[in-house]
Structure formats: C-alpha cells, structure tokens
Amino acid sequence: LNPGINFKSYDLKNVYGSIVITPWSSKILFANSDISKLPVINIFGGPLDFGRIEEGESSVSKWYTVNVENLTEPLIITSPEGFEISTDVDGVYSRSISLKYVNGISDEIIFVKFVPEDEKNYYGYISNKSGNVEMKIKIVGTSR
C-alpha cells in the first residue's frame, strides 16, 4: 500500500471491492463497503466421479449447478482433457462454453460427460470463471 494515500479524503460509502496484497492470497475488504454488488460464483454439486469408461466411448451425463450474481464479464466454463460440458443434456458438448449474465442473478445447470480418448486416469477441475472470480469443481474418471 502507498503510505501517502489518505483514505479519510475519499467517500467510502460508494466504494466496494477488495484488495489482494501479494505475496499473500487473502483479500482485504474496505471497511463499510457494500459487498452486495461484488461478483459472486457459487457451485452446487460435485465432485463428479465418472468411474471407469472404455476409451473412445462417452459416459452418461452428470451435472452441477452454477449460481452467479453481479457479473460484469461473461462466465467462461472450461473442462480438463477427457471431459466435455453443455447447458443442454441433449445438446452439443465441448471443452469450453461462454455464458453472459451481466448484473443479474442466474442459475444454470451444467451437464458434463466423460469422453476418454486414451487408456489412462483423468482428473482435474472444471473452471467457472468471470473476470477475477473463479470457482472450480473436481472431476475424475478412468479408462484403464
């Protein structure tokens, strides 16, 4: 922090947000800040364990729900190798989808399939990210 900044000279009633001070990963909220306008991503469900599926085949879909509030940028959902996602159980599945929820509240069901291409263990996290806000859900499967 710059010791020359005098916070008394600022109107903090309309300031909201947080500060990340490196090398620490904790966030510091401004005192008396209105946190109701901060972007939020919540995940309901998971971890997702697909067990064993033969390589080259596709599993039955599993799902989780993502709840978002006050996003100012699109929600980008990305799956690791061996997994595909969709917002429609019978729709097209891919490794990444982008959803727009600007300044509102929304719930979305995300469907996930395990589609192993090689005989190995698959694991990782599905990333649900908008700007600097990110939530992850653990995902595992094997084709061994």
Side-chain angles (χ1 to χ4, degrees):
L1 290 173
N2 182 342
I5 296 176
N6 180 357
F7 286 101
K8 291 181 183 177
S9 65
Y10 294 98
D11 176 10
L12 292 180
K13 289 183 231 169
N14 296 321
V15 175
Y16 64 93
S18 62
I19 300 172
V20 177
I21 301 175
T22 54
W24 303 294
S25 61
S26 297
K27 291 186 177 183
I28 300 170
L29 291 175
F30 289 116
N32 298 323
S33 62
D34 181 5
I35 62 172
S36 68
K37 295 182 179 136
L38 290 175
V40 175
I41 300 172
N42 293 305
I43 301 294
F44 302 99
L48 301 178
D49 186 344
F50 286 89
R52 186 179 186 290
I53 301 289
E54 292 290 326
E55 63 182 283
E57 297 200 10
S58 177
S59 72
V60 172
S61 295
K62 293 192 177 206
W63 59 273
Y64 69 95
T65 300
V66 61
N67 166 270
V68 300
E69 297 180 33
N70 303 319
L71 298 186
T72 57
E73 298 179 36
L75 176 67
I76 309 296
I77 304 174
T78 309
S79 65
E81 175 190 10
F83 301 93
E84 293 182 343
I85 52 180
S86 178
T87 56
D88 181 354
V89 69
D90 296 319
V92 176
Y93 284 73
S94 65
R95 293 268 315 274
S96 181
I97 55 178
S98 176
L99 305 171
K100 290 188 180 184
Y101 304 111
V102 178
N103 297 325
I105 299 174
S106 183
D107 291 316
E108 188 78 49
I109 296 174
I110 306 300
F111 297 95
V112 184
K113 284 188 178 182
F114 179 37
V115 289
E117 293 180 9
D118 299 312
E119 187 178 325
K120 65 180 187 176
N121 294 326
Y122 292 82
Y123 57 90
Y125 294 88
I126 296 175
S127 168
N128 301 265
K129 185 174 183 177
S130 177
N132 292 327
V133 180
E134 180 177 27
M135 290 294 292
K136 295 181 178 182
I137 182 169
K138 186 176 180 182
I139 189 164
V140 297
T142 188
S143 60
R144 290 186 176 213

